[in-house]
Amino acid sequence: MAFSRSIAFSSILLLLFINGSHCFYLPGVAPQDFQKGDLLQVKVNKLSSTKTQLPYTYYSLPYCAPEKILDSAENLGEVLRGDRIENSRYVFKMREPQMCNIVCKRKLDAKTAKAFKEKIDDEYRVNMILDNLPLVVPIKRMDQDSTVYQLGFHVGLKGQYSGSKEEKFFIHNHLAYTVKYHRDSLTESARIVGFEVKPFSVKHEYEGKWDEKTRLTTCDPHAKHTVVNSNTPQEVEEGKEIIFTYDVEFQESDVKWASRWDAYLLMNDDQIHWFSIVNSCMIVLFLSGMVAMIMLRTLYRDISKYNELETQEEAQEETGWKLVHGDVFRPPNNSDLLCVYVGTGVQFFGMILVTMLFAVLGFLSPSNRGGLMTAMLLLFVFMGIFAGYASARLYKMFKGSEWKKISLRTAIMFPATVSAIFFVLNGLIWGQKSSGAVPFGTMFALIFLWFGISVPLVFVGGYIGFRKPAIENPVKTNKIPRQIPEQAWYMNPSFSVLIGGILPFGAVFIELFFILTSIWLNQFYYIFGFLFLVFVILVITCAEITVVLCYFQLCSEDYLWWWRSYLTSGSSALYLFLYATFYFFTKLEITKLVSAILYFGYMLIASYAFFVVTGTIGFYACFWFTRLIYSSVKID
């Protein structure tokens, strides 16, 4: 019966999986129509590098700046990600090609030359935006007849002149833009569906003195002489002159506005991704079905035997899990802390669930820049009411009386721990003068969300939860605790807890690779349908492995299951952090100490949150299981 239910559930999830593979998105902005000749304002975003993970503003380098730099309005998520969107001197006219437009001329001094060299050495990329589309560099795959897109273009590159072994720095100072548009045949209006660039390093030359009417000899629209290669690159050295130029080409495209993000999102080897996810899902679902079937059959036999013995008055001595019925619901040590952790886990679980639903529906697509992080923060704040409710209900069951105290600890403990780590990391980022440092105004907004909204909501939830009647246990608790017999080596708490975390981690580690890649290698993550599927599998796996190990523990007459049930599935966070360490040394090229501290600091926060969520899932599964089995047998 359990196995058939599992197969049915597998079928439902498989249907969700198939539907999720054809993802869609609800755009973050309304479509904008452009007539021929309309101005197109290119905005510049942060400079980003996968080697340092420290973003900087575009104008932190001596690029050509407009007379007045204007900041675009950014949401909370964008600020926390280090996005700084500003105006630029790159201005196009819709469907009017331009060639060899001169932006400005810069003469490098020692300071500016050093700044460019440092950014080139750290492989920084320049990010720009046109009509909410990020700038990408198209790269043809040699092995396949397809094109991949990389976000932004490199500030420059390192190389050597032929016949020389000395390494030089060269800057990309000529940008060949391609704006793709989809035209409406009836109205002649057009919508932008692509924004690409090919960067070149060119040592521009000109005759005479420099003025506004100077014509370049290396790039002249009148002579139809344009830049097609970087054979004479522009070197970055003190005293060198750099002339920044650009071309603009417009290409009509069959891609419609609603599908314009598709090319941006198909950046990975999708077949490997799909196969890995399907393989993981099928294995975990099969194991879940088998575990459920074994557990139900074993329990059914135990309960039938105990009840039969009781009715026939043949039981001389109880054995197994029934023997500890007088102690199984005895409050654990540090019960207050357990209540706090369970409440926080409920808060996180609610945040993840609602965020997933919004993401699957397309509201949190990459086009809505910063939307995902903003939604997660706000949902975590508003889920405080459920955290207070859950912790207060459990606290009252443990015969607690000070609900305000437990509510305060629930509202403060986890955010305070995370905030302490975050403040240290933010100080390091601020010390590097990076745009990733959270400004004072945003910091104030975060503190207001915490103390002004989250904390009061936790108290409201705690008040409601504490007013509810206390949860009644199915069996009475003895006044004197029973002595726990010596346990076998494999039932040792440490060994049991560590074993319990392997299966939940195994359910998510393949998807974890893609999530880490999107975060630390500056790629889009968009397959929320699969992520939701993995989350469902994680919940099932955490619940089942905790129930199985809890059952074995009770059969060994060890009734201290409260904390162990939380730690069993929660230990998967340890494997997550170990995998993050493995990923750091095998996939990332981070060399700076500050960047390494940032990586491990943020992954520590992520692992802590994962511990709280998975631990709470395991705890509630075990809580439901013990109440179910002890209410199913006849106990005098």
Side-chain angles (χ1 to χ4, degrees):
M1 180 179 176
F3 187 71
S4 62
R5 284 180 180 174
S6 179
I7 293 297
F9 186 67
S10 305
S11 304
I12 295 171
L13 289 179
L14 186 59
L15 288 173
L16 287 172
F17 171 83
I18 295 170
N19 290 332
S21 63
H22 302 285
C23 58
F24 65 95
Y25 78 96
L26 300 176
V29 294
Q32 188 171 355
D33 294 316
F34 297 96
Q35 300 295 331
K36 187 174 182 180
D38 285 351
L39 288 179
L40 303 178
Q41 299 284 347
V42 176
K43 296 181 179 180
V44 292
N45 199 351
K46 62 188 176 185
L47 306 174
S48 59
S49 168
T50 56
K51 287 187 70 174
T52 69
Q53 303 297 332
L54 293 167
Y56 288 89
T57 61
Y58 177 80
Y59 295 113
S60 63
L61 288 179
Y63 280 119
C64 308
E67 292 182 6
K68 187 176 181 181
I69 298 175
L70 302 174
D71 291 328
S72 297
E74 293 146 358
N75 58 42
L76 187 60
E78 286 179 300
V79 175
L80 293 176
R81 288 176 51 200
D83 286 347
R84 298 295 183 270
I85 302 172
E86 299 159 318
N87 61 329
S88 75
R89 291 183 64 171
Y90 296 99
V91 181
F92 311 153
K93 288 187 178 180
M94 187 65 177
R95 291 159 57 192
E96 292 185 5
Q98 301 175 39
M99 185 186 294
C100 297
N101 270 19
I102 298 173
V103 187
C104 74
K105 180 172 70 77
R106 287 277 185 268
K107 188 171 183 178
L108 299 182
D109 55 23
K111 183 179 179 181
T112 53
K114 182 184 177 184
F116 272 123
K117 285 182 178 180
E118 287 178 348
K119 294 297 185 290
I120 293 171
D121 193 45
D122 288 332
E123 299 180 9
Y124 270 86
R125 305 180 76 92
V126 179
N127 295 283
M128 296 183 177
I129 300 168
L130 178 64
D131 191 37
N132 201 44
L133 273 181
L135 180 68
V136 293
V137 177
I139 299 175
K140 283 280 186 182
R141 284 184 173 179
M142 300 299 292
D143 56 333
Q144 303 176 25
D145 187 21
S146 62
T147 302
V148 293
Y149 297 94
Q150 291 185 344
L151 285 172
F153 63 91
H154 282 111
V155 172
L157 48 87
K158 292 187 292 184
Q160 300 166 343
Y161 289 113
S162 58
S164 172
K165 293 185 178 180
E166 185 182 359
E167 194 170 54
K168 297 287 187 179
F169 292 85
F170 304 100
I171 188 171
H172 285 138
N173 60 322
H174 179 83
L175 305 176
Y177 293 107
T178 300
V179 178
K180 296 183 177 181
Y181 64 93
H182 182 78
R183 184 168 57 177
D184 189 328
S185 58
L186 297 177
T187 63
E188 286 300 312
S189 63
R191 293 177 177 176
I192 295 173
V193 295
F195 186 34
E196 301 174 1
V197 71
K198 290 183 179 178
F200 298 96
S201 180
V202 182
K203 185 179 180 181
H204 284 304
E205 296 177 354
Y206 58 92
E207 295 176 353
K209 291 185 177 180
W210 179 267
D211 58 36
E212 293 181 358
K213 297 182 180 180
T214 298
R215 287 170 57 175
L216 303 175
T217 57
T218 49
C219 185
D220 189 356
H222 300 283
K224 304 295 183 182
H225 182 205
T226 187
V227 176
V228 292
N229 56 51
S230 297
N231 290 340
T232 55
Q234 174 62 59
E235 192 177 329
V236 178
E237 283 296 343
E238 182 182 355
K240 295 280 186 181
E241 281 187 350
I242 302 177
I243 300 172
F244 292 92
T245 56
Y246 69 94
D247 301 334
V248 185
E249 178 189 1
F250 289 87
Q251 288 183 3
E252 189 167 357
S253 173
D254 294 330
V255 176
K256 295 184 178 180
W257 187 88
S259 305
R260 66 178 187 163
W261 276 84
D262 291 358
Y264 291 75
L265 300 180
L266 299 175
M267 295 187 185
N268 300 314
D269 294 323
D270 294 332
Q271 290 182 349
I272 297 174
H273 186 93
W274 307 148
F275 176 77
S276 300
I277 296 296
V278 171
N279 189 49
S280 177
C281 290
M282 292 302 104
I283 290 174
V284 173
L285 286 173
F286 176 74
L287 288 174
S288 299
M290 294 299 293
V291 167
M293 183 174 67
I294 292 169
M295 284 303 304
L296 286 177
R297 290 186 61 180
T298 305
L299 271 176
Y300 180 76
R301 186 176 65 246
D302 282 355
I303 292 171
S304 298
K305 182 178 70 175
Y306 284 140
N307 285 340
E308 186 179 345
L309 291 173
E310 287 292 339
T311 53
Q312 296 178 5
E313 297 181 359
E314 297 174 358
Q316 299 298 320
E317 184 179 352
E318 298 168 345
T319 57
W321 55 269
K322 191 183 175 188
L323 190 61
V324 295
H325 66 81
D327 297 275
V328 73
F329 291 108
R330 186 182 304 282
N333 295 328
N334 298 316
S335 59
D336 289 8
L337 185 61
L338 180 63
C339 296
V340 170
Y341 268 114
V342 169
T344 306
V346 169
Q347 186 175 8
F348 252 106
F349 183 84
M351 178 203 75
I352 294 172
L353 184 63
V354 178
T355 302
M356 291 274 192
L357 292 175
F358 276 119
V360 168
L361 292 174
F363 289 104
L364 302 176
S365 71
S367 64
N368 189 4
R369 193 174 289 100
L372 181 63
M373 187 171 289
T374 304
M376 291 178 69
L377 274 171
L378 294 178
L379 283 171
F380 181 79
V381 167
F382 290 114
M383 289 293 165
I385 190 169
F386 297 103
Y389 180 85
S391 59
R393 289 282 283 158
L394 193 61
Y395 180 68
K396 190 171 184 179
M397 191 189 79
F398 290 148
K399 304 295 187 292
S401 58
E402 300 177 1
W403 70 270
K404 292 180 182 178
K405 176 183 173 183
I406 206 70
S407 296
L408 181 64
R409 290 181 66 182
T410 304
I412 296 295
M413 194 183 76
F414 181 86
T417 306
V418 172
S419 296
I421 300 173
F422 179 74
F423 279 127
V424 172
L425 298 179
N426 196 60
L428 292 173
I429 299 172
W430 181 79
Q432 296 293 313
K433 299 180 180 178
S434 167
S435 66
V438 177
F440 176 77
T442 306
M443 198 73 75
F444 179 79
L446 292 174
I447 293 173
F448 172 76
L449 286 174
W450 179 13
F451 287 101
I453 300 177
S454 181
V455 172
L457 285 176
V458 172
F459 272 89
V460 170
Y463 174 75
I464 296 172
F466 199 76
R467 287 196 63 186
K468 289 269 188 180
I471 300 172
E472 295 292 335
N473 295 322
V475 290
K476 293 181 180 179
T477 301
N478 296 335
K479 292 183 179 179
I480 301 174
R482 176 186 176 85
Q483 186 174 359
I484 299 173
E486 186 176 348
Q487 301 292 301
W489 66 269
Y490 53 83
M491 289 307 298
N492 180 276
S494 300
F495 180 79
S496 177
V497 163
L498 290 175
I499 289 296
I502 294 176
L503 195 57
F505 171 74
V508 300
F509 88 96
I510 295 176
E511 196 66 20
L512 184 64
F513 170 80
F514 293 100
I515 293 173
L516 291 178
T517 300
S518 69
I519 294 172
W520 299 107
L521 294 182
N522 199 27
Q523 296 182 11
F524 288 120
Y525 187 87
Y526 62 98
I527 315 173
F528 294 109
F530 287 103
L531 187 61
F532 183 73
L533 174 63
V534 170
F535 179 66
V536 171
I537 294 173
L538 174 67
V539 172
I540 296 169
T541 311
C542 286
E544 290 190 341
I545 193 66
T546 308
V547 165
V548 169
L549 293 179
C550 181
Y551 174 70
F552 292 152
Q553 179 186 350
L554 293 176
C555 287
S556 300
E557 300 176 17
D558 182 357
Y559 54 84
L560 302 177
W561 62 272
W562 295 96
W563 271 108
R564 199 190 290 194
S565 66
Y566 196 99
L567 297 173
T568 296
S569 52
S571 65
S572 55
L574 173 63
Y575 297 103
L576 188 151
F577 189 78
L578 292 175
Y579 180 79
T581 305
F582 170 78
Y583 184 88
F584 177 85
F585 288 108
T586 58
K587 298 296 180 183
L588 300 182
E589 298 178 1
I590 293 175
T591 53
K592 292 188 176 182
L593 178 62
V594 171
S595 302
I597 294 172
L598 288 178
Y599 176 85
F600 285 106
Y602 284 126
M603 290 312 303
L604 182 63
I605 292 174
S607 300
Y608 186 28
F610 193 72
F611 164 74
V612 170
V613 173
T614 52
T616 300
I617 294 168
F619 170 81
Y620 272 116
C622 201
F623 182 63
W624 167 83
F625 172 74
T626 51
R627 290 179 61 81
L628 179 68
I629 63 173
Y630 283 100
S631 62
S632 301
V633 295
K634 298 175 183 177
I635 297 173
D636 294 331

